[in-house]
Amino acid sequence: MKVLGIESSCDETGVALYDTERGLLGHAVHTQVAMHEAYGGVVPELASRDHIRRLIPLLELVLTEASCTRLDIDAIAYTAGPGLAGALLVGASFAEALALALDVPALPVHHLEGHLLSPLLANQDEALDSDGTPTSGHQSTAKLSFPFVALLVSGGHTQLMRVARVGDYQLLGESLDDAAGEAFDKTAKLLGLGYPGGPALAKLAESGKPGRFKLPRPMLHSGDLSFSFSGLKTAVLTAARARKLSEADRADLAAEFQEAVTEVLAAKAVAACRQQRLSSLVVAGGVGANRRLRQRLDQAMAKIGGRVFYPALELCTDNGAMIAFAGSQRLLQGELPVPAQGAFVVRPRWPLDQVS
Ligand code: KG4
Ligand code: ZN
């Protein structure tokens, strides 16, 4: 069964074709980062218009890569939320219209479900190391299986979920204010870095020394699985206002910020695994690309005899492959697809534990 995946929830247009027998046949992403850079953040209207421009060329590209035609598509999965309403509508209307024309079912998919199942996509063939390369012979090539704990860390979400199986997600804890990625982006802005801030801040942190500036570890000892990152950003602002920052100061502040965020994320992820008595942790979402976070998680999980699973690096950020894969898993699980009817809804706000 070949499932086409369409992703357009924010500033990446993703199209992919996933075959339940042969794996990923084709996958292409167009990122709008350069377009939004001048504005310092995503401009929703520009995002929607660009998704319209990109979808058909990306579909053609993916079909060519897969050596398939539109008639080979058996079902179409698309991101129905959460995300920017206009951007979601573009992908949803494209997917539903194509499904209607091809007389195949259309499947609305939760964006975060796509993220958290994406390590299983890589896992189909081989396990991945934290740097995204396949594990070699001397390391364990243990496969990921249900149930597991998922740490979702993106620009819009910071959540710990218990994943019992496809479609069964229990929220264990989340951020009470800013998401981790949002904190990275806002702090990067304060330090005069470009957009998107996360990768830029992580790069600057490489040349800095943590500990010279002292930042709090919010809610580290709160005894629950909640997070809070907005105070951290304010602490960086206070430090930045206290003196004129040299280049070295900025790097040290970035390094300390990264230490603070990753320490809390790693500690709570391990606490969630202990609480749930589970030894597999999946990390998904854009912040999951952060090397320091991966290092800390690998070390902390190894200490409790556990293991961390990551999507391939190129599948950490938004893409159509994870949506095609999530849709295919729902179909394989026996979920009855609704035939395309020319009517659909998108859900800009959509808690993952309400997905089924
Ligand atoms: O999952 P994603 O691509 O989009 C959604 O938010 O759904 O995540 C984007 C977020 C942004 O906030 C970006 O700054 C952050 O992930 N990010 C990083 C890194 N790469 C991306 N944050 C820290 N370190 C990175 N290496
Ligand atoms: Zn995302």
Side-chain angles (χ1 to χ4, degrees):
M1 179 175 53
K2 293 185 183 65
V3 181
L4 184 74
I6 305 285
E7 156 63 34
S8 71
S9 63
C10 190
D11 58 346
E12 262 102 29
T13 322
V15 178
L17 191 63
Y18 178 78
D19 186 334
T20 49
E21 275 88 55
R22 292 163 57 209
L24 196 59
L25 302 182
H27 137 71
V29 176
H30 173 79
T31 177
Q32 303 175 353
V33 162
M35 186 177 79
H36 298 296
E37 204 171 10
Y39 305 93
V42 177
V43 183
E45 181 60 22
L46 294 182
S48 309
R49 289 172 189 226
D50 200 59
H51 288 307
I52 294 174
R53 273 194 292 272
R54 306 291 170 186
L55 277 167
I56 292 177
L58 285 175
L59 173 65
E60 298 304 335
L61 200 69
V62 166
L63 289 175
T64 306
E65 187 190 342
S67 304
C68 289
T69 73
R70 292 176 194 194
L71 299 179
D72 293 314
I73 299 170
D74 297 306
I76 302 180
Y78 65 89
T79 305
L84 301 170
L88 288 167
L89 276 171
V90 174
S93 47
F94 179 83
E96 289 278 353
L98 187 60
L100 195 64
L102 296 174
D103 195 21
V104 298
L107 294 149
V109 168
H110 193 292
H111 179 79
L112 296 179
E113 180 174 35
H115 272 305
L116 73 83
L117 295 180
S118 58
L120 283 163
L121 175 53
N123 198 48
Q124 300 264 306
D125 306 316
E126 51 207 338
L128 293 177
D129 264 344
S130 55
D131 63 358
T133 53
T135 51
S136 51
H138 65 278
Q139 277 167 310
S140 153
T141 51
K143 296 248 173 185
L144 173 62
S145 57
F146 297 107
F148 56 79
V149 169
L151 171 66
L152 290 170
V153 270
S154 70
H157 296 86
T158 300
Q159 295 184 331
L160 281 160
M161 315 277 315
R162 179 190 170 92
V163 181
R165 59 184 171 81
V166 174
D168 186 344
Y169 312 115
Q170 183 197 343
L171 182 66
L172 303 173
E174 65 183 330
S175 176
L176 305 176
D177 42 56
D178 290 355
E182 190 180 0
F184 264 94
D185 293 339
K186 287 179 176 170
T187 303
K189 211 169 195 174
L190 289 176
L191 294 176
L193 300 169
Y195 162 86
L201 193 146
K203 186 150 198 338
L204 180 62
E206 277 173 23
S207 57
K209 269 198 243 50
R212 194 161 72 82
F213 290 93
K214 294 262 183 292
L215 293 177
R217 293 341 188 217
M219 300 191 78
L220 184 60
H221 302 296
S222 63
D224 61 13
L225 298 173
S226 302
F227 302 89
S228 166
F229 293 114
S230 70
L232 205 45
K233 171 197 65 196
T234 312
V236 172
L237 182 64
T238 308
R241 279 190 178 151
R243 59 159 119 174
K244 189 167 165 20
L245 295 179
S246 67
E247 198 50 37
D249 290 340
R250 285 169 66 246
D252 290 348
L253 204 42
E256 173 69 3
F257 172 83
Q258 182 172 258
E259 286 300 298
V261 175
T262 56
E263 184 176 342
V264 179
L265 287 174
K268 301 251 170 173
V270 170
C273 290
R274 279 180 184 274
Q275 183 205 71
Q276 297 295 314
R277 300 181 191 281
L278 293 174
S279 58
S280 293
L281 174 72
V282 156
V283 181
V287 185
N290 186 280
R291 286 189 184 277
R292 181 64 180 130
L293 176 63
R294 288 182 170 216
Q295 200 179 35
R296 277 189 183 275
L297 287 171
D298 287 344
Q299 284 168 357
M301 285 299 290
K303 271 197 193 143
I304 62 162
R307 166 111 205 243
V308 194
F309 294 85
Y310 304 91
L313 268 183
E314 60 166 328
L315 299 184
C316 270
T317 45
D318 294 348
N319 63 83
M322 66 184 193
I323 302 303
F325 181 71
S328 74
Q329 298 309 295
R330 288 188 155 257
L331 286 175
L332 286 178
Q333 202 174 257
E335 190 171 303
L336 287 180
V338 182
Q341 296 164 338
F344 55 89
V345 287
V346 293
R347 298 185 63 178
R349 287 176 188 277
W350 188 8
L352 181 56
D353 50 2
Q354 289 173 18
V355 76
S356 40

